[in-house]
């Protein structure tokens, strides 16, 4: 999607459609209940206000978030159409909401066959922040997952003009950065969307290598022999049941002038299909287990964005990619595996495989010199029970590290919630035969999975993101298609940038 910044009056912009945000100016108090919403367009441009005035005063517009109304041949505007998108209450409207409004506009217009439009940045949010939110949200809305439909319609927005007030150079810089983020998020979603027969560990590694070559990253891919040579027994225990060879993907970003420390390690779970292994999953819903590599895809996409944004900090991305399959070669409940760190692991449930590959990935990142670690994984169904589909779970062994990530997360506009890592939970994963068990049972399952990973991060400052409930959008939304979301990429990139500033 081509991005253009315009600092002209919205009324003077020639475009197929001009989009403006409508906000309810009611204060949200009990006195407003039952009353008609006080709807206004979030721009001081009088021509846009005049065109919208009659419709907003008619009572036909409820003002509920993501409601759309399209006006043709708006008098006084050079645009062919005016699309009004409701953003809800003005008091609470933020860049988080603006991203979703932008996505809603894209999906509303491209379904009508339009290829370009202009979006008026709403007043009340800083101009550069608005530009970022609009561009990122537009990219999210532009993605559709129906790759393999024979009757697929080529519906997408090719170009977006953001109409904003301020220094054009600064606004263009914000727009260009947001373009990189948006494209990288959709690159991640593209990887996650592929079915497992078209996204094996080998293919995932090839896609990572191709991306790295395009943006100037160093990329190394190791196969089964090297994984066994490095004594990654936890990783190999998952891979051994599949005919598809595993891939250890290592991407390195080391810009000139970056300090020797910190070195950030981004570790992703890359299970390209998860049957559960011998502890096989129920058939119902198993087709979605193609997205069990979403954490790994997120790290690949984040490395793409980091390479293009060029922060002055060294970053190493590691993805442990394999299938988890039942076969005569597969590991069994009761087996004991030796991780790369030397810790022994009793296998209680072969469907608790993501933490096994991450255990070796986290330890290997430390061996490569990483001083700070973040992992992302569709790790547990338990986090969905705890937080539903709205928030990803954050776990941290270091409060300063958490505060850094929380600030990045807030700026990126992604919903995540910190979960506990109290020592009491470690008792649930103590083994009578080995150092640790790979499952602590049903209760507190997201926490005990994180406690397992903490054993391999040890004292290195570490964040664990359990994105099992947010990596896949279960229903079609006005601003995003059903399917892969690309969650955590924006937060990860902001987090990395924070170390360089």
């Amino acid at each position: 999607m081509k991005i253009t910044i315009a600092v002209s009056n919205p009324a003077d912009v020639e475009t197929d459609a001009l989009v403006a945000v409508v906000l309810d100016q009611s204060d949200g108090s009990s006195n407003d209940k039952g009353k008609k919403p006080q709807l206004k367009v979030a721009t001081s441009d009088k021509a846009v206000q005049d065109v919208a005035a009659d419709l907003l005063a008619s009572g036909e517009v409820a003002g509920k978030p993501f409601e759309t109304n399209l006006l043709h041949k708006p008098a006084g505007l050079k645009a062919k159409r005016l699309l009004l998108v409701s953003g809800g209450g003005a008091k609470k409207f933020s860049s988080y909401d603006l991203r979703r409004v932008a996505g809603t506009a894209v999906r509303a217009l491209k379904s009508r066959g339009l290829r370009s439009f202009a979006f008026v940045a709403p007043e009340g949010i800083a101009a550069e922040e608005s530009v970022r939110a609009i561009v990122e949200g537009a990219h999210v809305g532009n993605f559709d997952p129906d790759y393999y439909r024979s009757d697929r319609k080529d519906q997408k927005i090719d170009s977006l003009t953001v109409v904003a007030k301020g220094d054009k150079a600064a606004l263009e810089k914000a727009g260009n950065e947001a373009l990189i983020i948006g494209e990288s998020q959709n690159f991640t979603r593209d990887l996650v969307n592929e079915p497992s027969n078209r996204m094996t560990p080998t293919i995932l590694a090839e896609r990572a290598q191709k991306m790295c070559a395009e943006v100037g990253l160093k990329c190394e891919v190791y196969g089964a022999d090297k994984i066994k040579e490095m004594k990654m027994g936890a990783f190999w225990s998952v891979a051994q049941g599949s005919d598809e060879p595993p891939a250890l993907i290592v991407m390195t970003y080391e810009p000139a002038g970056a300090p020797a420390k910190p070195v950030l390690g981004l570790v992703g779970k890359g299970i390209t299909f998860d049957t559960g292994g011998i502890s096989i999953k129920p058939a119902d819903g198993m087709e979605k287990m193609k997205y069990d590599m979403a954490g790994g895809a997120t790290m690949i996409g984040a490395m793409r964005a980091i390479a293009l944004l060029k922060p002055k900090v060294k970053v190493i991305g590691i993805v442990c990619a394999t299938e988890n399959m039942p076969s005569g070669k597969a590991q069994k409940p009761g087996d004991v595996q030796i991780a790369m760190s030397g810790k022994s692991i009793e296998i209680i449930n072969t469907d608790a495989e993501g933490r096994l590959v991450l255990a070796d990935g986290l330890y290997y990142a430390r061996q490569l010199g990483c001083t700070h670690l973040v992992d992302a994984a569709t790790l547990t169904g338990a986090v969905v029970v705890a937080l539903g589909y709205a928030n990803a779970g954050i776990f941290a062994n270091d409060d300063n590290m958490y505060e850094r990530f929380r600030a990045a997360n807030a700026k990126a506009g992604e919903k995540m919630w910190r979960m506990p890592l109290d020592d009491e939970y470690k008792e649930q994963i103590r083994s009578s035969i080995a150092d640790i068990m790979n499952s602590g049972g049903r209760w507190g399952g997201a926490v005990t999975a994180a406690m397992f990973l903490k054993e391999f991060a040890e004292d290195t400052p570490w964040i664990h993101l359990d994105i099992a409930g947010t990596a896949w959008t279960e229903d079609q939304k006005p601003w995003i298609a059903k399917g892969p979301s690309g969650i955590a990429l924006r937060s990860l990139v902001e987090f990395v940038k924070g170390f360089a500033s």
Side-chain angles (χ1 to χ4, degrees):
M1 186 188 299
K2 181 182 177 183
I3 305 298
T4 303
I5 303 297
V7 292
S8 53
N9 293 325
D12 297 328
V13 177
E14 295 185 18
T15 178
D16 288 332
L18 185 70
V19 177
V21 180
V22 173
L23 297 176
D24 183 0
Q25 303 297 323
S26 305
D27 64 12
S29 67
S30 57
N31 295 330
D32 287 327
K33 289 183 178 179
K35 294 183 180 180
K36 291 174 63 174
Q38 301 173 28
L39 302 178
K40 291 185 179 179
V41 181
T43 175
S44 58
D45 188 276
K46 189 173 185 306
V48 176
Q49 290 178 347
D50 289 346
V51 171
D54 287 345
L55 177 62
L56 297 183
S58 68
E60 297 175 16
V61 180
K64 300 296 183 183
F66 319 120
E67 179 182 1
T68 59
N69 290 275
L70 186 65
L71 302 174
H72 287 263
K73 298 181 179 178
L77 304 184
K78 291 186 178 179
K80 295 177 182 178
R81 304 166 184 83
L82 176 64
L83 178 69
L84 302 176
V85 185
S86 296
K91 286 189 70 174
K92 294 183 177 180
F93 190 74
S94 66
S95 57
Y96 172 82
D97 304 295
L98 181 55
R99 280 186 187 87
R100 299 199 294 175
V101 166
T104 300
V106 166
R107 298 195 68 74
L109 293 173
K110 74 174 190 167
S111 67
R112 291 172 167 84
L114 274 65
R115 295 283 188 171
S116 64
F117 73 99
F119 197 112
V120 182
E123 295 167 15
I125 299 175
E128 291 177 39
E129 186 179 349
S130 285
V131 168
R132 288 191 179 93
I134 291 165
V135 173
E136 291 169 3
H139 275 84
V140 169
N142 212 24
F143 179 93
D144 276 303
D146 55 343
Y147 293 0
Y148 296 106
R149 292 186 58 166
S150 58
D151 62 347
R152 186 180 196 237
K153 296 178 181 178
D154 182 18
Q155 291 183 328
K156 64 178 180 178
I157 299 296
D158 295 324
S159 63
L160 163 65
T161 299
V162 183
V163 186
K165 297 178 180 178
D167 178 71
K168 188 172 183 180
L171 296 175
E172 286 179 339
K173 182 176 184 290
N176 290 334
E177 290 178 354
L179 174 64
I180 290 169
I181 298 293
E183 288 178 343
S184 298
Q185 185 171 352
N186 282 353
F187 174 78
T188 293
R189 296 166 78 193
D190 178 57
L191 296 176
V192 178
N193 192 54
E194 291 285 7
S196 65
N197 63 325
R198 296 175 181 269
M199 188 51 68
T200 64
T202 300
I203 296 172
L204 181 62
E206 290 171 350
R207 293 283 292 269
Q209 286 176 310
K210 181 180 178 183
M211 179 278 292
C212 288
E214 290 172 349
V215 301
L217 290 173
K218 178 183 177 183
C219 185
E220 298 168 288
V221 176
Y222 303 116
D225 290 343
K226 185 68 172 179
I227 290 167
K228 287 185 279 188
E229 178 188 322
M230 291 193 293
K231 298 183 179 180
M232 289 183 159
F235 182 6
W236 175 248
S237 74
V238 180
Q240 70 185 50
S242 177
D243 288 340
E244 287 288 344
L248 175 62
I249 305 165
V250 183
M251 302 160 285
T252 304
Y253 169 73
E254 190 168 13
K261 292 182 179 181
V263 180
L264 309 184
L266 307 182
V267 184
K269 171 187 173 184
I271 305 296
T272 58
F273 194 79
D274 181 19
T275 67
I278 297 300
S279 308
I280 197 163
K281 295 176 180 289
D284 186 32
M286 196 194 287
E287 72 282 352
K288 287 191 288 188
M289 287 300 97
K290 69 176 189 175
Y291 84 85
D292 211 23
M293 40 68 75
T298 299
M299 296 315 189
I300 296 171
M303 291 300 294
R304 178 190 186 275
I306 291 162
L308 293 171
L309 292 171
K310 301 184 181 350
K312 294 287 187 184
V313 60
K314 183 176 179 179
V315 186
I316 300 174
I318 297 172
V319 177
C320 300
T322 182
E323 293 181 334
N324 184 25
M325 297 289 284
S327 74
K329 300 181 297 180
Q331 70 175 331
K332 305 169 292 297
D335 286 356
V336 172
Q337 309 291 359
I338 308 300
M340 189 183 191
S341 69
K343 288 184 186 293
S344 57
I345 304 166
E346 182 184 5
I347 305 302
I348 300 299
N349 188 328
T350 66
D351 194 24
E353 87 298 330
R355 66 203 71 181
L356 295 173
V357 303
L358 288 174
D360 281 344
L362 288 167
Y363 186 78
Y364 184 52
R366 292 170 57 204
Q367 297 300 104
L368 294 178
C370 293
T371 60
H372 298 72
L373 299 171
V374 185
D375 76 71
T378 49
L379 203 66
T380 67
V383 82
V384 189
V385 175
L387 298 175
Y389 297 112
N391 282 272
I394 304 181
F395 300 81
N397 68 350
D398 181 274
D399 288 341
N400 290 333
M401 179 83 156
Y402 169 73
E403 287 301 325
R404 273 184 174 272
F405 195 87
R406 185 197 59 77
N409 181 231
K411 188 172 182 180
E414 295 181 315
K415 285 196 169 185
M416 300 185 186
W417 192 264
R418 190 176 187 182
M419 302 283 280
L421 270 180
D422 300 331
D423 287 341
E424 289 87 343
Y425 291 101
K426 188 176 178 180
E427 295 302 314
Q428 290 179 239
I429 55 172
R430 289 193 186 278
S431 170
S432 61
I433 189 174
D435 295 327
I436 192 172
M437 298 190 298
N438 80 323
S439 175
R442 181 179 181 185
W443 309 118
V447 183
T448 55
M451 288 300 296
F452 180 92
L453 296 178
K454 184 183 177 185
E455 291 293 298
F456 300 90
E458 295 186 349
D459 294 331
T460 304
W462 159 76
I463 295 280
H464 162 55
L465 305 177
D466 194 335
I467 60 173
T470 51
W472 191 268
T473 304
E474 294 291 335
D475 302 301
Q476 199 91 350
K477 306 288 186 184
W479 66 92
I480 189 171
K482 177 181 179 179
S485 68
I487 182 71
L489 181 139
R490 296 201 306 266
S491 295
L492 286 164
V493 174
E494 287 295 337
F495 177 72
V496 170
K497 286 167 60 182
F499 277 87
S501 60

